[in-house]
Amino acid sequence: MVFAACLSVMLWTTGCTDKKPVAVDTTAVDTLQFADTTVVDTIDKLISEQPMPKAADELFDDFIFNFAANRKLQMNRIKFPLKIVDGDHVAYVEKSEWKMEHFFMEQGYYTLIFDNAKQMDLVKDTSINHVVVEKVYLTKETVEKFVFERRNGRWTLTAVQNNAMYQNTNASFLAFYQKFASDPSFQLESLNDPVMFTGPDPDDDFNTMTGEIAPETWPAFAPELPSNFIYNIMYGQKYTEGDQKIFVMRGISNGMEMQLTFKRIDGDWKLTSLSE
């Protein structure tokens, strides 16, 4: 119950008219300060006292949410000394030096990148034993990779790798995305004409509606996108440079999801569809 209550205060708000998701500004998240650290410490302590259900090791998503919120569990599920690879430099972090990593829990949503819809099914694959959580610093153009392995049925953080963004398989898309998310003029230039839209029907809560978004009406639909850093979870999907990327934003506690599909047309990335 405490865990659920903590998650419920994480916001991924919606507009009052068109119900579009609004991402928490990641720059603000980076500098987030809590006025009462005693409250935060108390919440951490209460969460740490709750044992993780054994079933949470089945699906990586269940595990990572527990890992990011439960200090005691996190310390027990890291292979210390933890190997840190930064280019050609290798270092090791001892247990006493490790700082709690909350990942995306403080922003209330997380992001994913897929090449196609079939890769999205890997999220529910319980046979996966190797997952990489990427923290992509878009403005710094670096990627921090947290490598998790499931051994004897238990997920464990085994290494952290730091690389330049240009070395990432999604490099060209990530460079495009950073500009798309931060530059309104470039965003308009990068819209396919039209952009296909699928979203909730304002007149029927149980149905969806589909239509087309012309460039001149885009400002009414445009969601706020994180532009400072994003997360990506690699559940074993093998990326290619390819000509399609599906960018997904998922709320942690509110069940909301948004998908933006981009396709490379005549050498340039274009947003072709938006789904809420």
Side-chain angles (χ1 to χ4, degrees):
M1 291 179 64
V2 173
F3 183 58
C6 295
L7 291 184
S8 68
V9 301
M10 298 174 185
L11 302 179
W12 189 21
T13 58
T14 59
C16 58
T17 53
D18 52 18
K19 299 183 180 179
K20 62 188 179 186
V22 179
V24 178
D25 178 35
T26 50
T27 303
V29 172
D30 274 346
T31 58
L32 184 62
Q33 297 293 325
F34 293 93
D36 189 348
T37 56
T38 303
V39 173
V40 177
D41 290 341
T42 300
I43 292 174
D44 276 349
K45 185 176 185 298
L46 288 171
I47 293 175
S48 295
E49 290 173 352
Q50 305 300 315
M52 185 182 78
K54 291 183 178 180
D57 270 313
E58 290 292 316
L59 277 177
F60 180 79
D61 277 9
D62 291 340
F63 163 77
I64 194 63
F65 295 144
N66 280 274
F67 182 86
N70 188 323
R71 187 181 303 273
K72 183 177 180 180
L73 173 70
Q74 185 168 130
M75 298 303 287
N76 289 334
R77 291 299 188 90
I78 298 177
K79 185 180 181 297
F80 289 112
L82 182 64
K83 186 177 182 180
I84 310 293
V85 181
D86 192 347
D88 295 328
H89 179 71
V90 178
Y92 291 87
V93 172
E94 299 293 340
K95 191 171 186 178
S96 61
E97 301 171 312
W98 179 255
K99 294 181 180 180
M100 178 73 175
E101 175 59 68
H102 289 288
F103 292 101
F104 34 73
M105 299 301 285
E106 291 175 344
Q107 63 187 32
Y109 70 94
Y110 62 107
T111 53
L112 301 163
I113 300 173
F114 300 100
D115 280 353
N116 51 61
K118 185 177 180 180
Q119 287 185 350
M120 299 172 70
D121 294 336
L122 290 170
V123 175
K124 300 178 181 179
D125 190 342
T126 58
S127 67
I128 293 172
N129 293 312
H130 178 91
V131 172
V132 176
V133 177
E134 294 184 320
K135 187 173 184 179
V136 183
Y137 296 89
L138 295 164
T139 52
K140 296 179 182 178
E141 299 184 353
T142 60
V143 180
E144 188 175 16
K145 297 183 177 183
F146 298 83
V147 182
F148 291 87
E149 305 279 352
R150 183 163 59 177
R151 300 171 180 174
N152 299 319
R154 291 163 53 93
W155 283 106
T156 302
L157 176 62
T158 59
V160 177
Q161 302 170 355
N162 295 293
N163 301 103
M165 197 169 76
Y166 75 84
Q167 296 176 306
N168 194 279
T169 309
N170 288 320
S172 65
F173 174 74
L174 291 172
F176 158 80
Y177 169 83
Q178 195 280 328
K179 192 172 182 180
F180 181 89
S182 60
D183 185 337
S185 297
F186 179 75
Q187 190 172 108
L188 278 173
E189 294 171 5
S190 302
L191 300 177
N192 192 51
D193 189 6
V195 174
M196 301 305 298
F197 173 78
T198 303
D201 188 336
D203 299 320
D204 187 344
D205 293 337
F206 298 98
N207 284 318
T208 58
M209 57 180 290
T210 59
E212 298 180 347
I213 305 173
E216 58 269 21
T217 62
W218 173 248
F221 293 86
E224 273 189 48
L225 298 171
S227 59
N228 185 35
F229 68 81
I230 58 173
Y231 285 94
N232 182 39
I233 303 178
M234 299 174 63
Y235 301 89
Q237 63 264 38
K238 303 297 183 182
Y239 292 117
T240 63
E241 276 291 340
D243 293 324
Q244 175 177 277
K245 298 293 177 184
I246 302 174
F247 184 80
V248 180
M249 293 180 65
R250 286 181 177 163
I252 293 176
S253 61
N254 54 21
M256 294 187 66
E257 178 167 314
M258 178 178 65
Q259 295 181 23
L260 293 89
T261 300
F262 297 88
K263 293 186 178 180
R264 188 150 38 192
I265 301 172
D266 297 328
D268 296 319
W269 286 105
K270 299 286 185 179
L271 176 67
T272 59
S273 69
L274 171 66
S275 177
E276 299 178 0

